[in-house]
Amino acid sequence: MNVLVVGAGGQIGTELVPHLQKIYGEDNIIAADLRPDVVERLSKGSRALTLDALDLKSYRETVKKYNIDRIYNLVALLSATGENNPLLAWNINMGALVNSLEIAKELNCSLFTPSSIGAFGKETPHKNTPQDTIMRPNTMYGVCKVSGELLSDYYFTRFGVDTRSVRFPGIISNGCLPGGGTTDYAVEVFYEIIRKGEYTCPIPENTYMDMLYMPDALNACTQLMDADPAKLIHRNSFNVTAMSFSPKELFAAITKRVPDAKFHYSIDPVKANISASWPDNMDDSSARGEWNWNPAWDMESMIDDMLSAIKAKQN
Ligand code: SER
């Protein structure tokens, strides 16, 4: 199995590449990113190359050259950045997906492209959000995600391309910071509390959003792609979640471990608006039933691990 990860230098790719190396062997994973400095970093632990996923010709040549069987397309601008430059978000997010789909069709690759809680919108039921429900997002990021889900299902039914995806919630990790997302606060808070002892949160204190700890997110990426296709009723895309909390709940749980920690709020209206339109908590029973999704980390165990990992990093 030869696997290509495009957009490999972001929050997910940075940890997905070593995860894939462990499962499929170090030599079988190629990490690609647009940014030469990031490729330099990636090349310390993996086979890495510079690639612009919007350049169809180079993308196709890379897939041919390395005999790629599976592509993880992680190229995307996140939700808050997308609102600052909606057309750029559309061009990047959809451009990378369309190229990935065409190449997967032509060269017979399976393809994973993450969708998101951002695919939902104000009219979606917010509690126990069903797998199949109203999807009318209010952000460009969400418009791209819903379009991407539809297009990926289209390539599967029309051309038989093996496309699969999950709707990721906020992903909490300590390898590489996310950037420009609405759920980023749940990562940033750990770095700030350890560095400065205080954190100013841009999200209103009672806003609930789903979250996953990175090890579970990585398992979702590989478990779904290795799942028996005969068992999949859905493809693009599965609700997956492991926990749902508000800033207030998260900060109270951090305070139990770091009693001196101080929390303030300075609400970012763009992020507040986006987070209010997303589910409070999703129903992920389809993922559990169709490919045995079963996350291991909850909020308490995630907090313990984040605090010790970031402390160790900063020492
Ligand atoms: N973490 C993403 C964001 O906040 C959601 O998919 O944009």
Side-chain angles (χ1 to χ4, degrees), residues 117 120 124-133 167 169 210 234 237-244 279-290 293:
I117 49 172
F120 298 113
T124 303
H126 277 36
K127 303 248 184 296
N128 223 14
T129 303
Q131 170 66 38
D132 302 307
T133 185
R167 294 182 186 130
D210 283 299
H234 298 85
S237 172
F238 287 92
N239 288 359
V240 288
T241 183
M243 57 190 104
S244 163
D280 291 358
N281 64 296
M282 289 186 289
D283 172 3
D284 61 0
S285 49
S286 294
R288 288 173 188 269
E290 292 174 42
W293 162 244

Side-chain angles (χ1 to χ4, degrees), residues 97 115-116 119 135 144-154 165-167 236-238:
L97 174 62
S115 184
S116 159
M135 301 185 74
C144 293
K145 289 302 185 191
V146 174
S147 308
E149 290 190 14
L150 291 172
L151 203 54
S152 300
D153 271 346
Y154 177 79
S165 169
V166 296
R167 294 182 186 130
N236 302 282
S237 172
F238 287 92

